[in-house]
């Protein structure tokens, strides 16, 4: 059975006594779950090798999949990285704190457990007041997303509690309510020229190219397609974000084709007597109902925000994937989005979460 120490904290009125208690736990080598602007992280003192190893055990994470080091002050970059390129300082000045992680040559102080034995380290400065305060009061934190390996990332403390309730773990959890953005940070590899996108995130490629004044290479695997180059991005070879329920992602040339395809799938599953839930935006649910009255009552709707504002889709995404497992259905169907702006990150996560992709 898990032992949780749950510390509630208001991110708009931070109680330093609460932070200090969590900071003490970090410095004693314990694991502390903390909020960031993207998702909750499972943190340990980044310079404490043993504590960092414990993250891998608790999460069930393969040891060759490295962790992100979270810092609160730009000069901490010197403690975790070396040969810091000019572009990194542009990220510091123009983007941080914010949801962009940079890969740099690793400094000597960073334990092998954090880097997965690589020569590089991933670093970011999160834009969440609770995360920043905790790091200031303790140490840079090595942290993956706090979900159990393979599960959707947690956007609430409750998600974390669900994942570990049955496990032999001891966790301090700083509960600051839901995170703001809902998908994990954008990762770019700055050890390469031009930089390479390793994972799309809330900070879009379009915005990054503008802020940094460089072109960024977007490999196929960053879209969630094709074979991953694990030499470049160790995380991509592992299954991610998956609900337990069989999830089908529907992709099509046009929105109309996509709607029709969802309806055809639904009718065919209904004939087989299978219960289905559809993860769909408000607009798509409405269109399905008005265009195809024959599907009324054949599915449960799990709300996925609004197509008019992709940020609402991102922030609902992981909670919707978790809701699918609680819906008591055999099949989930999810709509697709245009791969522009935030849509690139949403589609990357959906392709990795889905058990099959249905192309209309
Ligand atoms: O928003 C986020 O980035 C969240 C919050 C908690 O900060 N963290 C997060 O961590 O998503 P995680 O461990 O779930 O994903 C980190 C990704 C993994 O795919 C890992 O392979 C990659 O970063 N990564 C870490 N170090 C790397 C390195 N040195 N080179 C290439 N990729 C690296
Ligand atoms: Mg993760």
């Amino acid at each position: 059975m898990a032992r949780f120490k749950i510390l509630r904290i208001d991110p708009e009125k931070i109680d330093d006594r609460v932070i200090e208690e969590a900071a003490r736990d970090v410095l004693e080598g314990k694991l502390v779950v903390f909020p960031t602007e993207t998702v909750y992280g499972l943190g340990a003192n980044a310079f404490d090798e043993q504590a960092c190893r414990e993250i891998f055990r608790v999460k069930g994470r393969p040891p060759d999949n490295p962790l992100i080091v979270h810092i609160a002050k730009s000069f901490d970059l010197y403690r975790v990285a070396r040969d810091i390129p000019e572009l990194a300082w542009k990220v510091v000045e123009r983007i941080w704190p914010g949801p962009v992680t940079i890969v740099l040559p690793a400094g000597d102080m960073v334990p092998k457990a954090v880097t997965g034995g690589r020569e590089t380290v991933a670093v970011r400065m999160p834009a969440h007041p609770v995360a920043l305060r905790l790091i200031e009061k303790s140490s840079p934190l090595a942290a993956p997303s706090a979900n159990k390996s393979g599960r959707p990332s947690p956007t609430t403390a409750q998600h974390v509690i669900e994942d570990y309730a049955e496990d032999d773990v001891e966790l301090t959890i700083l509960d600051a309510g839901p995170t703001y953005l809902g998908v994990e940070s954008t990762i770019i590899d700055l050890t390469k020229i031009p930089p390479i996108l390793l994972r799309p995130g809330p900070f879009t490629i379009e915005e990054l190219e503008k802020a940094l004044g460089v072109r960024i290479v977007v490999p196929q695997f960053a879209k969630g397609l094709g074979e991953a180059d694990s030499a470049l991005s160790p995380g991509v070879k592992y299954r991610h974000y998956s609900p337990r329920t069989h999830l089908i992602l529907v992709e099509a040339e046009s929105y109309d084709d996509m709607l029709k395809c969802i309806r055809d799938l639904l009718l065919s599953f209904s004939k087989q007597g299978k219960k289905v839930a559809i993860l769909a935006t408000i607009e798509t649910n409405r269109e399905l109902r008005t265009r195809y009255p024959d599907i009324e009552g054949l599915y449960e709707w799990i709300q996925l925000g609004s197509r008019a504002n992709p940020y609402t889709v991102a922030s609902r995404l992981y909670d919707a994937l978790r809701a699918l497992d609680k819906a008591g259905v055999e099949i989930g169907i999810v709509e697709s989005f245009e791969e522009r702006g935030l849509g690139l990150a949403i589609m990357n996560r959906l392709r990795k979460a889905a058990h099959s992709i249905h192309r209309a």
Side-chain angles (χ1 to χ4, degrees):
M1 277 302 276
R3 278 151 300 156
F4 297 123
K5 174 159 87 184
I6 298 166
L7 303 174
R8 296 216 166 70
I9 188 156
D10 178 353
E12 275 155 41
K13 227 175 69 209
I14 290 182
D15 181 346
D16 264 336
R17 284 168 308 181
V18 174
I19 295 283
E20 273 153 20
E21 179 166 2
R24 258 196 314 276
D25 287 348
V26 168
L27 294 174
E28 282 173 13
K30 296 184 179 152
L31 302 192
V32 175
V33 173
F34 64 99
T36 78
E37 77 279 41
T38 58
V39 302
Y40 274 80
L42 176 61
N45 179 350
F47 303 117
D48 180 339
E49 171 119 47
Q50 207 190 327
C52 292
R53 284 197 194 289
E54 179 67 1
I55 293 177
F56 288 84
R57 183 193 74 82
V58 164
K59 200 175 144 94
R61 184 176 178 102
D64 64 345
N65 192 6
L67 310 177
I68 296 174
V69 177
H70 298 68
I71 62 174
K73 294 186 188 71
S74 49
F75 58 72
D76 272 338
L77 259 189
Y78 290 116
R79 298 171 70 199
V80 299
R82 60 181 168 78
D83 305 331
I84 300 165
E86 196 51 43
L87 266 186
W89 296 113
K90 281 195 183 162
V91 171
V92 170
E93 273 168 36
R94 299 179 186 175
I95 300 175
W96 282 358
V100 172
T101 297
I102 57 179
V103 172
L104 298 172
D108 295 338
M109 278 166 70
V110 183
K112 286 274 169 286
V114 173
T115 62
R118 300 176 160 247
E119 298 293 308
T120 56
V121 63
V123 193
R124 85 179 193 97
M125 188 189 290
H128 195 294
V130 172
L132 290 174
R133 199 87 184 114
L134 175 66
I135 298 164
E136 274 165 21
K137 295 257 178 203
S138 58
S139 157
L141 296 175
S145 51
N147 55 290
K148 227 149 117 178
S149 214
R151 297 276 295 149
S153 295
T155 53
T156 65
Q158 193 52 42
H159 291 160
V160 180
I161 293 168
E162 273 166 29
D163 275 10
Y164 298 100
E166 307 297 321
D167 296 0
D168 175 27
V169 298
E170 189 183 341
L171 295 177
T172 297
I173 301 177
L174 269 173
D175 179 357
T179 59
Y180 309 136
L181 295 170
V183 292
E184 306 87 342
S185 63
T186 308
I187 307 181
I188 47 173
D189 185 346
L190 295 187
T191 68
K192 305 281 189 313
I193 303 170
I196 301 176
L197 177 71
L198 299 182
R199 180 176 74 186
F203 207 94
T204 67
I205 287 302
E206 294 87 338
E207 290 171 306
L208 261 176
E209 290 188 330
K210 211 160 129 206
L212 303 181
V214 288
R215 185 173 66 86
I216 289 164
V217 177
V218 181
Q220 279 296 95
F221 70 73
K223 298 182 177 176
L225 292 169
E227 269 303 291
D229 183 349
S230 62
L232 222 52
S233 184
V236 286
K237 65 174 186 265
Y238 298 107
R239 194 160 180 79
H240 272 91
Y241 319 119
S242 279
R244 298 187 184 94
T245 312
H246 189 90
L247 179 67
I248 301 168
L249 169 65
V250 177
E251 294 191 37
E253 286 294 316
S254 71
Y255 188 57
D256 289 339
D257 287 353
M258 185 185 77
L259 291 176
K260 180 160 183 315
C261 182
I262 292 177
R263 180 250 195 170
D264 291 347
L265 282 172
L266 197 54
L267 289 178
S268 116
F269 285 129
S270 149
K271 271 205 203 99
Q272 299 166 36
K274 293 207 161 112
K275 285 196 195 138
V276 180
I278 301 185
L279 280 65
T281 54
I282 293 161
E283 292 87 346
T284 296
N285 183 48
R286 190 176 54 221
E287 284 302 313
L288 283 170
R289 281 174 192 227
T290 40
R291 289 187 200 194
Y292 307 114
D294 56 342
I295 61 174
E296 179 79 45
L298 295 188
Y299 68 95
E300 181 164 334
W301 176 40
I302 296 174
Q303 206 246 77
L304 197 54
S306 161
R307 284 181 83 86
N309 179 357
Y311 283 90
T312 61
V313 177
S315 76
R316 286 278 314 131
L317 186 64
Y318 290 132
D319 191 59
L321 290 174
R322 284 169 181 267
L324 176 63
D325 285 337
K326 294 183 189 140
V329 298
E330 291 144 283
I331 308 277
I333 298 175
V334 61
E335 72 179 286
S336 53
F337 298 85
E338 219 185 310
E339 280 174 286
R340 248 187 328 108
L342 190 56
L344 187 68
I346 294 168
M347 285 303 289
N348 163 288
R349 305 307 190 275
L350 285 178
R351 287 187 180 129
K352 289 174 167 227
H355 300 83
S356 65
I357 298 177
H358 198 96
R359 289 199 173 80

